[in-house]
Amino acid sequence: MKKYKGYLIDLDGTMYKGTEKIEAASDFVKALAEKQIPYLFVTNNSSRTPEQVAEKLTEFDIPTTKDHIFTTSQATANFISGKKSNASVYVIGEEGIRDSIVEKGLQINDMNPEFVVIGIDREITYEKLSIACLAVRQGATFISTNGDIAIPTERGLLPGNGALTSVITVSTGVQPIFIGKPESIIMEQALKVVGTSLEDTLMVGDNYDTDIMAGMNTGLDTLLVHTGVTTVEMLQSIERKPTYTVGSLEEWIEKM
Amino acid sequence: MKKYKGYLIDLDGTMYKGTEKIEAASDFVKALAEKQIPYLFVTNNSSRTPEQVAEKLTEFDIPTTKDHIFTTSQATANFISGKKSNASVYVIGEEGIRDSIVEKGLQINDMNPEFVVIGIDREITYEKLSIACLAVRQGATFISTNGDIAIPTERGLLPGNGALTSVITVSTGVQPIFIGKPESIIMEQALKVVGTSLEDTLMVGDNYDTDIMAGMNTGLDTLLVHTGVTTVEMLQSIERKPTYTVGSLEEWIEKM
C-alpha cells in the first residue's frame, strides 16, 4: 500500500455530519498529526472564515488551527488576485468570502466592478442580484465560489450557492467560473498550501460528485469514505471508481 | 385578406415601450373598438393587477377596462383552481399574483402547500426560496407564472421571473409548469375570455420568442409588429415566420 505524504480532507460528511460527530474522524486526524503528515481541510463553504471553521473542528476534538483550513473563499480571492491584483469586485456573499476578498487586497465595489463573485448569501436580495446581472452584462468576469445545489440543514435541503448563481447565469446567459470542488481550481491551490506533490497526496471525502471528482479532475488519488453522501449502492453504478473506498476512516489509520 | 373576429394583444413593445408611447397603438385599439371587434391584452406581467394595467393603458389613450386585461397571474390562478379548487398555495410574488390567487378562492399557505407558485418578486428572500424548495421536494406542484429571463428597465436588464425560478429548479431538480407566453396555457384561457374561435383570432405582439411563439404553439394566426424586441434583421434568420409582419400597427388598421 502506497504511503501518502500529504492529505486533503473534506469536512461535512467526512469529519462531522452537520452538528453530529463522526467518531473515527478525530482519531484519523490525530494519527496524521502524530505521524507529522501534513493535512489540509478543503471546503466549499464560503460563508465562514478559516478561524470559524477551525473552531468548529476543535469542538469535535479534531486537531486544527486556521492554517489547516482552505476555503473556496480563499481560493476565489487568490484566483482573482492572480488575474489582477487590486481588482474591483462586486461580492454577493457572507462573512467568509467578504473577509477573503478584503484580506487579499481586492476592492469591494458595486460600481463598474471588474469581477462579480457570488457565494451563499442568506440575505440575498433582488437588488444584489440586479447589480450582479448589470455588471456581468457590462463585461465583469463572473465567478461563483461553488456550484452546490443544496445545503443540508435540520429543516431539509435548502438552496445552495449553485442555485443562487443560476439567477445570474439564466438572466445574462453568461456561465460563471466555478472555483470550489469538483473544479480543479481550488484543488491545485490546496495542493500548493499542503506542500506535497500530486503523486504523494491523497484526497479524502464522502461525496463522489464533489470530493472524489475534484481529486480526479486534478489527477490526485482519492479515498471515498461512506459516512456521508455517497453510499455503497450509489457507487456501484459509477464507472470510474475512487482509488480507495472505506466504510470508516478508522480502517485507513493502519494504512497511513 | 382574412378579417379576424377577435384580437389577443401584447403590451410592452406593442402598445407602449416602458414609459414611452407607441403612437399607432391608440389608433389601432380605437379602430378595434369602433368596429366592435373584441380584444384582450395578454401579459406575462404577474406583479400588477388587471386594474393597474388598465390604468396604465388608459393613460396612453388606449381604450381599456380591467376586463380587457388578461394577466399570467389570472391564468395561473385559473390553472391551479382547475386542478383543485380551494387548493393551498405557497406564493412568491407581488400584488398581482397574490390578488389573483385569493380572488380565485385558493388558500395562501406556507405549511405543506399543494402548489408552489413563483412570479417576479422584488422582495425575494432566501427564506422564501427555502420554503419553496422544501415544499417542492415534499411533492408540491411547482408552477411559474412565466419564464422571462430579464426585465427591461432604465438601469438595464434586471433579472426576470425565469431567472428567479431557476433557483428552485436547480436546487430541487424539478422543472416548473410555466403558464405565461410562449406557453399555450395562458393563450387557451385568453381565447376563451375573448370569446372568438381559434381560426378567427389573431395574436399581435413584438416579441417573436414569446408573443409569436405563444400564438404558434396555440394554433393562432400571428401578427408581428417591429416596434419592440424582434427587428426585421432578427426575423430574417428565423425559419418559421409569423402569419403577418408590419413596421407599425398603423399599417394594419385598413386590414381589420
Side-chain angles (χ1 to χ4, degrees):
Chain A
M1 179 70 62
K2 182 167 176 182
K3 300 283 181 189
Y4 293 90
K5 295 182 182 159
Y7 280 69
L8 302 176
I9 308 170
D10 171 55
L11 292 179
D12 205 349
T14 304
M15 290 289 107
Y16 53 79
K17 284 194 83 163
T19 55
E20 222 177 289
K21 195 170 178 168
I22 291 179
E23 281 303 330
S26 169
D27 288 344
F28 177 84
V29 180
K30 281 178 180 164
L32 287 173
E34 227 160 73
K35 293 175 198 283
Q36 298 190 296
I37 299 172
Y39 56 93
L40 186 67
F41 298 108
V42 181
T43 176
N44 274 3
N45 184 325
S46 72
S47 66
R48 297 209 188 119
T49 64
E51 290 81 355
Q52 290 166 336
V53 177
E55 199 176 317
K56 177 165 183 174
L57 286 172
T58 305
E59 283 167 17
F60 285 121
D61 196 26
I62 294 167
T64 325
T65 67
K66 78 170 177 59
D67 296 332
H68 286 113
I69 309 295
F70 195 65
T71 72
T72 190
S73 293
Q74 292 169 287
T76 299
N78 289 341
F79 179 83
I80 295 172
S81 179
K83 298 279 177 199
K84 186 177 179 197
S85 57
N86 302 318
S88 70
V89 187
Y90 180 64
V91 182
I92 297 179
E94 301 183 6
E95 191 179 357
I97 182 69
R98 295 186 172 276
D99 267 29
S100 293
I101 292 287
V102 170
E103 272 178 24
K104 201 73 197 172
L106 302 164
Q107 311 301 316
I108 291 184
N109 184 4
D110 60 8
M111 290 289 288
N112 302 318
E114 295 158 296
F115 293 82
V116 165
V117 169
I118 181 164
I120 187 73
D121 186 341
R122 279 155 291 199
E123 301 200 337
I124 191 76
T125 63
Y126 187 76
E127 179 61 15
K128 291 180 184 180
L129 292 165
S130 295
I131 293 170
C133 284
L134 291 169
V136 169
R137 285 183 183 273
Q138 279 156 22
T141 302
F142 176 26
I143 294 175
S144 176
T145 58
N146 64 296
D148 299 4
I149 59 171
I151 299 177
T153 73
E154 54 282 8
R155 290 170 70 193
L157 293 169
L158 304 190
N161 187 52
L164 297 185
T165 300
S166 71
V167 175
I168 306 169
T169 311
V170 168
S171 192
T172 63
V174 178
Q175 294 289 332
I177 300 166
F178 285 110
I179 301 294
K181 298 175 284 183
E183 304 301 321
S184 59
I185 295 176
I186 190 171
M187 299 302 291
E188 278 159 11
Q189 291 188 28
L191 203 56
K192 281 187 193 156
V193 175
V194 81
T196 46
S197 70
L198 190 68
E199 303 74 45
D200 287 331
T201 310
L202 187 64
M203 173 65 195
V204 183
D206 70 296
N207 188 326
Y208 184 88
D209 293 330
T210 56
D211 304 319
I212 303 305
M213 285 300 296
M216 288 175 168
N217 288 339
T218 317
L220 290 160
D221 284 354
T222 55
L223 169 58
L224 177 69
V225 57
H226 288 306
T227 46
V229 169
T230 305
T231 62
V232 175
E233 293 70 39
M234 286 158 78
L235 196 60
Q236 277 169 352
S237 62
I238 293 171
E239 201 169 328
R240 195 174 164 204
K241 307 287 186 211
T243 319
Y244 314 100
T245 306
V246 290
S248 158
L249 290 177
E250 199 64 49
E251 303 166 39
W252 190 259
I253 294 174
E254 61 186 23
K255 297 173 182 158
M256 277 178 188
Chain B
M1 179 68 65
K2 181 168 175 181
K3 301 284 180 190
Y4 292 91
K5 295 182 182 158
Y7 280 69
L8 301 176
I9 309 170
D10 171 56
L11 291 179
D12 205 348
T14 304
M15 290 289 106
Y16 53 79
K17 286 194 82 163
T19 56
E20 222 176 288
K21 195 170 178 168
I22 292 179
E23 282 303 330
S26 170
D27 289 344
F28 177 83
V29 180
K30 281 177 180 166
L32 287 173
E34 227 161 75
K35 292 175 201 279
Q36 298 189 295
I37 299 171
Y39 57 93
L40 186 66
F41 299 108
V42 181
T43 177
N44 273 3
N45 183 325
S46 72
S47 66
R48 296 208 189 120
T49 63
E51 290 81 357
Q52 290 166 336
V53 177
E55 200 176 317
K56 178 165 182 175
L57 286 171
T58 305
E59 282 167 19
F60 286 121
D61 196 26
I62 293 167
T64 324
T65 67
K66 79 170 175 56
D67 295 333
H68 286 113
I69 308 296
F70 195 66
T71 72
T72 191
S73 293
Q74 293 170 286
T76 299
N78 289 341
F79 179 83
I80 295 172
S81 180
K83 297 278 176 200
K84 185 176 180 199
S85 56
N86 302 317
S88 70
V89 186
Y90 180 64
V91 182
I92 297 179
E94 301 183 5
E95 191 179 357
I97 182 69
R98 294 184 172 277
D99 267 29
S100 292
I101 292 288
V102 170
E103 273 179 22
K104 201 72 196 173
L106 302 164
Q107 313 300 317
I108 292 184
N109 184 3
D110 60 8
M111 290 291 286
N112 303 318
E114 294 158 296
F115 292 82
V116 165
V117 169
I118 181 165
I120 186 75
D121 186 340
R122 279 155 290 199
E123 301 200 337
I124 191 77
T125 63
Y126 187 76
E127 178 61 16
K128 290 180 185 180
L129 292 164
S130 296
I131 293 169
C133 284
L134 291 169
V136 168
R137 284 181 184 274
Q138 279 156 24
T141 303
F142 176 26
I143 294 176
S144 176
T145 59
N146 63 297
D148 299 4
I149 60 171
I151 300 177
T153 72
E154 55 281 8
R155 290 170 71 192
L157 292 170
L158 303 190
N161 186 52
L164 297 186
T165 300
S166 71
V167 175
I168 306 168
T169 311
V170 168
S171 191
T172 63
V174 178
Q175 294 290 331
I177 299 166
F178 286 109
I179 301 293
K181 299 175 284 184
E183 304 302 321
S184 59
I185 296 176
I186 190 172
M187 300 302 290
E188 278 159 12
Q189 291 188 29
L191 202 57
K192 281 187 194 158
V193 175
V194 80
T196 47
S197 71
L198 190 68
E199 304 73 44
D200 287 331
T201 310
L202 187 64
M203 173 65 195
V204 184
D206 70 295
N207 187 327
Y208 183 87
D209 293 330
T210 55
D211 305 319
I212 303 305
M213 284 300 295
M216 287 174 169
N217 288 339
T218 316
L220 290 159
D221 283 355
T222 54
L223 169 59
L224 177 69
V225 58
H226 288 306
T227 46
V229 169
T230 305
T231 62
V232 174
E233 292 69 38
M234 286 157 77
L235 196 60
Q236 277 169 353
S237 63
I238 293 170
E239 200 169 326
R240 194 173 164 204
K241 306 287 188 213
T243 319
Y244 315 100
T245 307
V246 291
S248 157
L249 290 177
E250 199 63 49
E251 301 166 40
W252 190 259
I253 294 175
E254 60 186 23
K255 295 173 183 160
M256 277 175 188

